[in-house]
Amino acid sequence: MAQRPHPAVALIMEEMNCLLSTTYFGPIQWYQKLYRAKQAIIERHESFQKQTYRNRCLIATAQGVQALTVPVTAPANGDRGIAAMRISDHGNWRHLHWQAITSAYGDSPFLEYYEDDLRPFFFERRWEYLFDFNYDICQKICQLIDIRPQLATSPSYIKDVDTHQLTDYRSAISPKHPADDPFFNPLPYYQVFSHQQGFIPNLSILDLLLNMGPESIFYL
């Protein structure tokens, strides 16, 4: 497990800007970057990448970690840009995701407290584009955790991160091949199934929020 950086190093990290991909109920690590960075920029002009947090989140269930994936379709013109990806209605995924979340966190301390804030993302409104859907989720999660990041979207694809003085996490925060991150040390917190499976780090922000509620901010 990565060691926590010296406080002076952590302070420098907090003053740096970061570049992130869009995420669907992103992992705790992603929200840590929002909270600690001086400014966070979400890349709006990259190509869509499958099997990433862009349209997938990970939750803890009684059977282990479960991936919830939002189905998407590219426009007829073949544009694979992330902002062009449309949300598909295939497979009744909204109902299945909500059912999985409420089943996994039915015994968590804060599902009942937050479910009215989360339900609209599955039932009361339908977003056309994945990027817009994710951005609105991010805004709501930040409100619930009580963090106020300086958040922006990229006006064009950012190729030279050094010129923009950014730390690039677009590929580093990944469910399959995460890069080493000395600034992220996932501290254990209460999880519903930890007595069966032990602590599972860096799940969706939903796991932290529904298990720890207002104390979530202290784990970022």
Side-chain angles (χ1 to χ4, degrees):
M1 182 177 292
Q3 297 297 312
R4 293 182 67 82
H6 186 278
V9 177
L11 182 62
I12 293 173
M13 181 62 183
E14 290 171 0
E15 292 299 320
M16 295 177 69
N17 298 333
C18 68
L19 180 61
L20 302 163
S21 66
T22 181
T23 60
Y24 170 61
F25 288 109
I28 295 167
Q29 182 186 14
W30 192 90
Y31 278 89
Q32 182 212 60
K33 305 311 175 190
L34 286 191
Y35 179 53
R36 295 190 180 188
K38 184 176 180 181
Q39 183 181 39
I41 298 175
I42 299 178
E43 179 60 77
R44 188 183 178 89
H45 297 276
E46 65 178 356
S47 296
F48 173 70
Q49 299 177 41
K50 296 180 179 179
Q51 298 184 355
T52 67
Y53 291 124
R54 290 160 180 81
N55 68 324
R56 173 180 296 189
C57 72
L58 303 178
I59 64 171
T61 73
Q63 289 73 44
V65 177
Q66 180 178 352
L68 304 179
T69 302
V70 178
V72 296
T73 58
N77 65 6
D79 185 354
R80 297 288 297 177
I82 188 68
M85 302 304 292
R86 287 184 166 86
I87 297 174
S88 170
D89 291 329
H90 178 73
N92 196 25
W93 69 267
R94 295 175 181 84
H95 173 76
L96 293 177
H97 284 204
W98 184 247
Q99 186 178 51
I101 292 167
T102 54
S103 176
Y105 297 103
D107 291 331
S108 69
F110 293 98
L111 174 64
E112 184 176 356
Y113 185 79
Y114 291 117
E115 63 179 332
D116 287 345
D117 294 294
L118 299 173
R119 187 184 293 107
F121 292 104
F122 301 93
F123 295 115
E124 296 175 19
R125 178 183 168 189
R126 298 221 167 178
W127 281 257
E128 182 176 2
Y129 293 99
L130 176 68
F131 190 92
D132 297 335
F133 180 51
N134 287 349
Y135 193 82
D136 287 351
I137 287 173
C138 172
Q139 297 277 33
K140 174 56 70 173
I141 292 294
C142 289
Q143 175 190 336
L144 298 179
I145 297 178
D146 195 24
I147 62 175
R148 298 171 179 82
Q150 294 297 313
L151 189 60
T153 59
S154 61
S156 60
Y157 181 74
I158 298 178
K159 187 174 182 180
D160 189 349
V161 294
D162 291 335
T163 298
H164 292 82
Q165 296 183 321
L166 295 169
T167 303
D168 189 355
Y169 292 104
R170 288 173 295 186
S171 298
I173 299 177
S174 167
K176 289 188 173 293
H177 304 289
D180 291 337
D181 182 357
F183 299 101
F184 179 63
N185 182 27
L187 299 176
Y189 56 86
Y190 169 81
Q191 292 177 327
V192 174
F193 303 108
S194 60
H195 62 288
Q196 298 172 230
Q197 303 163 8
F199 175 70
I200 303 174
N202 207 26
L203 293 170
S204 167
I205 193 66
L206 287 172
D207 189 82
L208 180 63
L209 178 70
L210 298 180
N211 283 313
M212 299 305 297
E215 294 186 15
S216 297
I217 192 172
F218 301 118
Y219 290 83
L220 296 181

